[in-house]
Amino acid sequence: MACNSQMNVSFHGSNIGMLPSSGTKHHNITFDAQLSCTKVCASLVTQKSRVVADDSSSSTMFKLDMESVIRNLSLLVSDDQVDAGRSSASSGTGKFGQFGGKFVPETLMTSLSMLEAEFNLALCDTYFQEELETALRDYVGRETPLYHAKRLSDRYKNSEGKGPEIYLKREDLVHTGAHKINNAIAQAMLAKRIGRKSVVSATGAGHHGVATAAACAKLDLECTVFMGVQDIERQWSNVLLMNNLGAQVKAVDGNFKDAMSEAIRNWVRNLDTSYFLAGTAVGPHPIPTIVRHFQSIIGKETRRQAQEKWGGNPDVLLACVGSGSNALGLFHEFVKDEDVRLIGIEGAGLGLDSGSHSATLSKGDVGVYHGTMSYLLQDDEGQIIGPSSIGVGLEYPGVSPELSFLKESGRVELHAITDDEALNAYERLCRLEGIVPALEASHALAYLEKLCPNLPNGTRVVVNCSGRGDKDAVRVFRHHQEKIDHQMIDAVFQRV
């Protein structure tokens, strides 16, 4: 939305009782009707810098007054210029249709509003963006390759050599081994920007925990990561990495949903000193928007790389869906490209009818959890049903409100893959391409078996390989060992 007319924005300390009426600096900025709101924010940043240079004693007062104005400016921020694709959400509310919003106590509303203000300002701050760009390039290791998986593609070609071409977006190659670092480093920088000294977070598979610990180590921030006991037992290698990176890992009875609850409680008790660094695109506004925005670099790179490789967009985008950060990271850039199919793959666990799965969008109902409205796994009385998947990062009973909206609108196709199918895909990619995918990403890879036979020749499919599978190697080995043991037992009984 562009600015409709000339607008005068004045910053005056006495407006909020911070400065005396005499001798105060009056900072006036006039914006033309044609001036984009991105430039508005940029002007604010420039003006703030001048104030700090002119009079350091007034910088704090200026910042306080500016924050109240930025909250109002969030209503003017251009969807396509600052937060591309936010058109499905009402400006400033974080609503995607009926989904999203802020279902939190009043004590949190101010903190969330201030977070939104700082986030919107950071988007327009040239210095912040340059610093982030440098970190993503030199620290994270972006951009990641769009890799043509030729042997995997050959598997799905017919006797005439016709079939789809499979490409992998190699998020497994970034620092700490998964897409989570894209958001973690950016939010850690945001925490530092607003003066927080400590960060609190929650993790399931451990990739977000490791990414957050690494980002905090780089930026000299204290880091506390909550993790469910069940997940600690299954992802012990990532726990060791978090400890080595200086994070304090606190065990919580249960799994990721319980760790998330405890991390939020900890943050609420320390709102003035700590920053809640979410790795999932869930929670009260603006958290889902922040996470999605910092992950959207995946899709932006994919579009550019596809143009370079074959001069057009991908035909199909494929990503696993837990809470939604990696799927939205890939999908968001292409939501308005209706000729690009967006396919999300959930964890079917032991089967969709088994009661042991994590297919929230496929089998859930609308409800409120962790401060937002989305699809949830819940019983008839509204009680949360524990999710289950061999991909630990898929075990969350809720899902992104934006993905909930995209599902309801029909823009995203949803399917589910069982544990066994994901394990087979894990081994398949290892053997065919020499790439070890995370079990979460293996769910998306597994769906190629069902998708590819129905695709026209030359269809270009991009799969988000969202993380590497070192953490899952022991679990995969044990699964195969159990399978061998069962086969041996069956063979014995057959002889008898």
Side-chain angles (χ1 to χ4, degrees):
M1 180 175 64
C3 300
N4 295 322
S5 61
Q6 280 202 339
M7 177 177 64
N8 290 309
V9 179
S10 300
F11 298 104
H12 204 296
S14 59
N15 290 342
I16 54 172
M18 293 297 298
L19 295 174
S21 57
S22 61
T24 59
K25 293 178 184 262
H26 189 118
H27 306 282
N28 184 281
I29 311 169
T30 300
F31 304 112
D32 294 329
Q34 302 303 316
L35 187 63
S36 73
C37 290
T38 301
K39 293 179 181 177
V40 170
C41 291
S43 298
L44 291 173
V45 174
T46 302
Q47 193 70 279
K48 178 182 174 182
S49 300
R50 289 174 184 165
V51 172
V52 174
D54 292 344
D55 184 357
S56 60
S57 65
S58 68
S59 63
T60 300
M61 292 75 165
F62 178 85
K63 181 174 186 294
L64 288 170
D65 199 24
M66 181 177 65
E67 284 165 345
S68 65
V69 177
I70 295 297
R71 282 197 293 273
N72 293 324
L73 275 177
S74 67
L75 298 175
L76 300 172
V77 172
S78 169
D79 289 342
D80 58 350
Q81 289 172 312
V82 176
D83 199 13
R86 205 181 190 183
S87 56
S88 57
S90 302
S91 297
T93 66
K95 294 286 285 185
F96 302 87
Q98 67 173 315
F99 304 105
K102 298 180 187 178
F103 295 85
V104 296
E106 281 297 320
T107 52
L108 270 181
M109 293 299 288
T110 299
S111 293
L112 290 170
S113 295
M114 291 305 303
L115 175 60
E116 182 181 11
E118 290 287 355
F119 169 64
N120 284 332
L121 184 58
L123 293 184
C124 308
D125 186 342
T126 302
Y127 303 106
F128 179 87
Q129 293 301 323
E130 288 177 351
E131 186 181 0
L132 177 58
E133 183 180 350
T134 299
L136 289 171
R137 182 188 67 238
D138 298 341
Y139 184 70
V140 174
R142 305 208 69 88
E143 63 184 35
T144 59
L146 185 61
Y147 169 75
H148 186 197
K150 293 182 180 179
R151 292 193 65 205
L152 185 63
S153 299
D154 289 344
R155 173 180 173 82
Y156 301 112
K157 292 182 177 177
N158 60 26
S159 57
E160 298 177 353
K162 295 182 178 180
E165 300 296 338
I166 312 300
Y167 292 81
L168 306 181
K169 184 56 175 163
R170 296 293 306 279
E171 294 300 295
D172 56 306
L173 294 180
V174 295
H175 179 46
T176 70
H179 73 290
K180 295 292 188 180
I181 189 67
N182 303 327
N183 166 71
I185 188 66
Q187 282 207 64
M189 289 170 57
L190 190 59
K192 189 96 171 178
R193 172 191 174 91
I194 62 180
R196 296 296 184 260
K197 302 293 184 182
S198 64
V199 163
V200 61
S201 189
T203 192
H207 271 146
H208 176 63
V210 173
T212 300
C216 288
K218 172 177 168 53
L219 296 173
D220 191 25
L221 295 167
E222 295 179 8
C223 180
T224 302
V225 179
F226 289 88
M227 193 170 186
V229 171
Q230 296 174 20
D231 297 333
I232 288 175
E233 293 173 352
R234 292 183 289 182
Q235 305 291 331
W236 183 247
S237 62
N238 279 337
V239 177
L240 293 177
L241 286 175
M242 283 183 267
N243 281 316
N244 289 340
L245 290 165
Q248 182 181 9
V249 181
K250 292 190 175 182
V252 177
D253 287 338
N255 55 21
F256 175 60
K257 66 179 178 61
D258 306 294
M260 180 88 157
S261 297
E262 193 57 40
I264 293 173
R265 290 190 196 99
N266 183 279
W267 175 52
V268 170
R269 289 194 295 266
N270 301 281
L271 288 175
D272 294 332
T273 58
S274 69
Y275 181 95
F276 175 58
L277 203 161
T280 57
V282 297
H285 179 68
I287 291 173
T289 297
I290 291 175
V291 174
R292 182 258 287 147
H293 176 83
F294 289 134
Q295 290 294 0
S296 65
I297 190 171
I298 301 172
K300 291 172 183 175
E301 285 182 3
T302 299
R303 183 189 290 277
R304 183 172 64 252
Q305 291 167 325
Q307 289 290 335
E308 292 171 355
K309 285 181 179 293
W310 61 79
N313 287 334
D315 298 301
V316 181
L317 299 179
L318 200 56
C320 65
V321 174
S323 58
S325 64
N326 98 90
L328 282 174
L330 180 62
F331 294 167
H332 186 68
E333 174 70 13
F334 297 92
V335 167
K336 296 179 181 179
D337 295 283
E338 296 184 0
D339 57 334
V340 180
R341 291 177 65 184
L342 310 180
I343 305 178
I345 307 301
E346 298 187 290
L350 301 181
L352 290 180
D353 296 326
S354 69
S356 182
H357 59 78
S358 59
T360 305
L361 289 168
S362 300
K363 301 292 285 186
D365 298 304
V366 177
V368 175
Y369 190 58
H370 283 156
T372 192
M373 180 174 287
S374 70
Y375 278 92
L376 296 174
L377 293 178
Q378 54 186 324
D379 61 22
D380 293 338
E381 297 180 352
Q383 298 301 306
I384 296 298
I385 297 173
S388 177
S389 173
I390 197 165
V392 178
L394 304 184
E395 289 188 329
Y396 183 71
V399 69
S400 156
E402 188 168 359
L403 273 179
S404 296
F405 173 83
L406 292 174
K407 180 242 175 156
E408 191 169 83
S409 67
R411 181 64 185 93
V412 171
E413 304 171 38
L414 277 307
H415 302 278
I417 287 294
T418 65
D419 290 349
D420 282 341
E421 289 171 322
L423 285 160
N424 290 336
Y426 178 102
E427 183 176 349
R428 190 178 305 123
L429 194 66
C430 288
R431 301 292 175 85
L432 291 179
E433 297 290 346
I435 296 172
V436 183
L439 280 172
E440 292 80 13
S442 297
H443 284 70
L445 291 161
Y447 188 68
L448 292 171
E449 297 286 297
K450 300 177 181 179
L451 174 70
C452 289
N454 302 312
L455 294 177
N457 180 48
T459 301
R460 293 180 174 95
V461 180
V462 174
V463 183
N464 194 4
C465 191
S466 55
R468 66 174 186 247
D470 311 45
K471 65 183 180 64
D472 300 314
V474 173
R475 195 167 192 203
V476 172
F477 175 79
R478 286 175 178 169
H479 176 84
H480 284 304
Q481 193 62 48
E482 291 172 1
K483 200 170 183 179
I484 292 171
D485 290 343
H486 285 306
Q487 289 173 349
M488 291 176 64
I489 292 171
D490 291 340
V492 170
F493 278 110
Q494 285 176 3
R495 291 193 200 103
V496 174

